[in-house]
Structure formats: C-alpha cells, structure tokens
Amino acid sequence: MSFSQSLWNANQALFQSTLELPFNQELAAGTLSRERFCHYMIQDAHYLVAYGRALAVTAAKSDNAEGVVQFANAANEAVVVERALHGGFMRDFGVTPEQFAAAPLTPACHHYTSYLLATAWSATYPVAVAALLPCFWIYAEVGRDIHARSAKDNPYQAWVDTYASEEFHAAVRGVCATVDRLAEEATETTRTAMHAAYKDAARLEWQFWDSAYRLADWQGPLR
C-alpha cells in the first residue's frame, strides 16, 4: 500500500462523514438554500487566497525543481479560481464585491487557513505537503460523489462540475505521488507527523462544510 493510500484509509470514516454532511447532501440534491451557498462561496474565496499563500510557501521549501513548479502552479491556480468566483459565481448569485470585502472569515475558515499557513511556514516540507493534501483530495472526491448523483437541473451544477473535472483529479494524483516519494525518504517520526498533519486538515475540511451549513460566525451558528 502506498503511503498516500494509508493516509486515506486511516481517515476513511471521516471522509464518509464528510459526504453525509447536510451541506453536501443538499448541494447534490439542488435543495441547498441560496443563503447557505453564498455564505460558503464567500468563505471559500477567502480560503483560496490563504491556501494559495500556503502553497507558495511550500513551493519555496521543495527539495527539487519539480516540487517548486508543482506547488507554485497550484498556488497560481488557487488564486485564479478565487478570481473566477468573484467574476462568475458571485456575480451570478448576487454577491457584490463590497459584500465579499465586508464579510470576515468565519471561525472555521480562520482556523483552517491559520493552520495551513502556520504548518507551511513552520513544519518540514513533507509535513507541509501532507497538510495541503486533504484540500486537493477530499474536495475532489466529494466533488466526484456529488457529481455522480447531482439532481437534474441542479442550480449549483456549474460549481459541482469544477471539482469533478479530470484536471482537478490529475492535480490530486500529482500531490499524492509527491507525498509518497517524500514518505519513502522520510524517518518514521516524519511519517507520523505527516499522518497527524493530514488528519488535522481533513478534520478542518469537515468543519468548513459543517460551519457553512450552520451559517456559523463568531457569535455562533445562526441555524
């Protein structure tokens, strides 16, 4: 078994719980409220900017040129997607630039982005990469699952299609391959830290979707 597969298997129950979250169930059914989707979309745009920064820091730590290119390109893509959210989805769903700018990070988004940035800056390269992997992999697999059962005329179909694309899954395979290479060369202590970093980020993925459904902010959930 590859190291990346061992990460996935160790967190299989958490992934299943993520699939079963009301947000993802209702997104697939097309019944998710517009308010919840917009809340999520705004936080996701904030998240992607921070994620791009964490990817760029990790690129600078890479042990070879291929890694620099891999994570620098991923950082660029995160920012490109964030701008597409502004130019496309937010416009289509009536979220103005002023509304986005005025929306603070929720506790869940703040926690997740702070964790990724702190790990990218302070941890070793293998551990930083492991912490970044869940956003690639879990998002892609959630997207694949939702895409497979998406309701006809789903108002969120364009969003679903973004994360079910083959291009996105190719990026996942690339990061998994990097994780496997780094784990093969790492000490047992580092591999243990990689497992812990992956699990922490996977938990924060779950929390991000759960928080969006509850419309949670610093005063607590609104639902």
Side-chain angles (χ1 to χ4, degrees):
M1 181 191 303
S2 69
F3 183 81
S4 59
Q5 192 61 52
S6 76
L7 293 174
W8 185 266
N9 290 354
N11 294 279
Q12 181 64 45
L14 180 57
F15 171 67
Q16 189 60 41
S17 177
T18 301
L19 291 180
E20 293 169 1
L21 283 169
F23 186 96
N24 291 325
Q25 292 292 313
E26 293 181 15
L27 182 62
T31 59
L32 185 69
S33 72
R34 187 186 185 96
E35 181 184 19
R36 286 186 169 102
F37 182 74
C38 289
H39 176 88
Y40 167 81
M41 182 169 51
I42 289 168
Q43 293 304 309
D44 195 49
H46 282 309
Y47 169 86
L48 284 170
V49 174
Y51 190 58
R53 292 182 189 277
L55 286 161
V57 173
T58 302
K61 288 188 168 186
S62 177
D63 61 347
N64 60 28
E66 289 75 17
V68 174
V69 172
Q70 179 181 27
F71 292 108
N73 283 344
N76 176 72
E77 184 64 23
V79 175
V80 168
V81 170
E82 187 272 332
R83 288 177 176 173
L85 288 174
H86 278 120
F89 290 107
M90 288 196 189
R91 180 192 61 233
D92 294 344
F93 283 87
V95 178
T96 67
E98 292 75 21
Q99 285 175 302
F100 170 73
L105 272 66
T106 62
C109 187
H110 186 276
H111 187 176
Y112 196 2
T113 55
S114 295
Y115 169 73
L116 291 177
L117 285 164
T119 303
W121 279 108
S122 65
T124 62
Y125 177 56
V127 174
V129 174
L132 292 169
L133 179 56
C135 183
F136 282 98
W137 203 353
I138 294 175
Y139 226 126
E141 292 303 324
V142 168
R144 192 199 299 270
D145 177 79
I146 292 174
H147 187 268
R149 55 190 175 85
S150 182
K152 183 179 180 181
D153 299 322
N154 190 331
Y156 307 116
Q157 191 62 48
W159 182 278
V160 172
D161 290 344
T162 300
Y163 291 101
S165 69
E166 174 52 32
E167 183 180 10
F168 197 78
H169 284 274
V172 173
R173 291 192 294 271
V175 179
C176 284
T178 298
V179 164
D180 290 338
R181 178 183 66 81
L182 294 171
E184 186 175 345
E185 300 168 358
T187 64
E188 189 59 35
T189 298
T190 296
R191 286 191 289 270
T192 298
M194 291 170 75
H195 263 281
Y198 180 97
K199 188 176 189 67
D200 284 342
R203 286 170 168 165
L204 289 165
E205 282 285 320
W206 183 97
Q207 189 178 66
F208 193 88
W209 274 302
D210 179 64
S211 172
Y213 189 80
R214 294 183 296 108
L215 300 173
D217 62 17
W218 290 99
Q219 284 71 50
L222 301 181
R223 296 288 186 275

